[in-house]
Amino acid sequence: MKIGIIGATGNTGSSLVKEALGRNHQVTALVRNADKAKSLFADTVTIIAKDAFAFNKQDFAGLDVLIDAISFPTQKHLAYDQLDLAAQLIHMFRETDSPRLVFILGAGSLRTDGGLEIDQLRKTPGAAAWIDTPEAQHQELNFLRTVSNVNWLGVSPSANYTVGPKTAYVRGSDDLLFDDNHKSEVSTGTFAAAILDELEQPSIHQARFTVRNK
């Protein structure tokens, strides 16, 4: 497959690049900083460097999959860009089946025994400094669920999302997943592997799934 990754140099994006290349897919890194991408990936990927909102349909030509893995700076309170970029990509590919659009969402929109995880996050001391991002990702999922004429997929990590290698995993749909020790955790490597598994053997259309380390 030909896979484009917006935000390829971030923790999620770089893990996706590594996993995709390890499976012999062709990767286009869509990034803001070309030098950083070159230092990470050398000549293993095609690099297109632009502001996220400057990418156009021609930049995505020929891709089978386009993954929006960008993370906007929480400290600058630009989390609304998360939703704006999703809306731009959806608008760009209305009435099409290709590329498949994949949106990396937060865990805040997942259900828990007490309701939505976002409701618990809002009550966390100091949440004002970072709550913009999970709020925007929650809104992003709500927006995507109104879209019926684009081939989209949403993916949410577990509550604790850590940088680390891939492991076996458990996949769910809209409920926050916990292991036997009531731990909700997934590594970047596991998260990337679960996404590539879904891309190689599609089973979800216009819906979201979540994953945790097994």
Side-chain angles (χ1 to χ4, degrees):
M1 279 185 293
K2 295 181 179 179
I3 301 173
I5 303 173
I6 302 174
T9 58
N11 289 334
T12 299
S14 58
S15 293
L16 286 164
V17 170
K18 179 180 178 181
E19 186 68 22
L21 292 177
R23 301 183 187 213
N24 297 315
H25 298 297
Q26 297 179 42
V27 176
T28 297
L30 301 143
V31 299
R32 288 172 287 203
N33 189 325
D35 290 337
K36 183 177 181 181
K38 289 175 184 176
S39 70
L40 288 173
F41 311 130
D43 59 354
T44 61
V45 304
T46 298
I47 297 172
I48 302 177
K50 290 184 180 182
D51 179 83
F53 290 95
F55 290 119
N56 56 57
K57 209 165 184 177
Q58 185 174 351
D59 295 322
F60 308 140
L63 294 178
D64 300 300
V65 176
L66 176 60
I67 304 175
D68 176 7
I70 197 168
S71 178
F72 291 97
T74 299
Q75 68 274 20
K76 294 184 180 180
H77 295 285
L78 296 176
Y80 55 78
D81 280 345
Q82 195 88 29
L83 178 58
D84 290 349
L85 182 58
Q88 179 169 301
L89 295 173
I90 289 293
H91 176 72
M92 196 177 293
F93 292 103
R94 287 285 188 183
E95 305 290 352
T96 65
D97 289 323
S98 184
R100 190 180 191 189
L101 299 184
V102 181
F103 297 92
I104 306 303
L105 307 166
S109 58
L110 292 166
R111 294 187 302 238
T112 66
D113 290 341
L116 290 175
E117 177 67 5
I118 190 68
D119 295 329
Q120 303 304 314
L121 294 177
R122 291 176 183 134
K123 302 173 185 176
T124 305
W130 48 263
I131 196 67
D132 291 4
T133 295
E135 291 277 14
Q137 291 170 328
H138 182 208
Q139 293 165 10
E140 184 179 2
L141 176 62
N142 288 338
F143 163 66
L144 291 172
R145 284 174 166 163
T146 71
V147 177
S148 60
N149 58 358
V150 174
N151 185 10
W152 67 267
L153 167 71
V155 191
S156 288
S158 293
N160 190 18
Y161 186 35
T162 61
V163 175
K166 64 181 176 181
T167 68
Y169 64 84
V170 174
R171 200 170 93 166
S173 53
D174 290 315
D175 293 305
L176 192 62
L177 299 176
F178 296 92
D179 63 16
D180 292 340
N181 297 313
H182 204 67
K183 188 176 183 179
S184 178
E185 182 173 273
V186 67
S187 66
T188 51
T190 303
F191 195 59
I195 291 171
L196 265 294
D197 285 348
E198 168 61 27
L199 295 180
E200 291 179 343
Q201 297 185 26
S203 62
I204 298 176
H205 180 62
Q206 295 172 349
R208 181 266 301 271
F209 76 86
T210 185
V211 61
R212 70 163 172 85
N213 290 347
K214 190 169 183 179

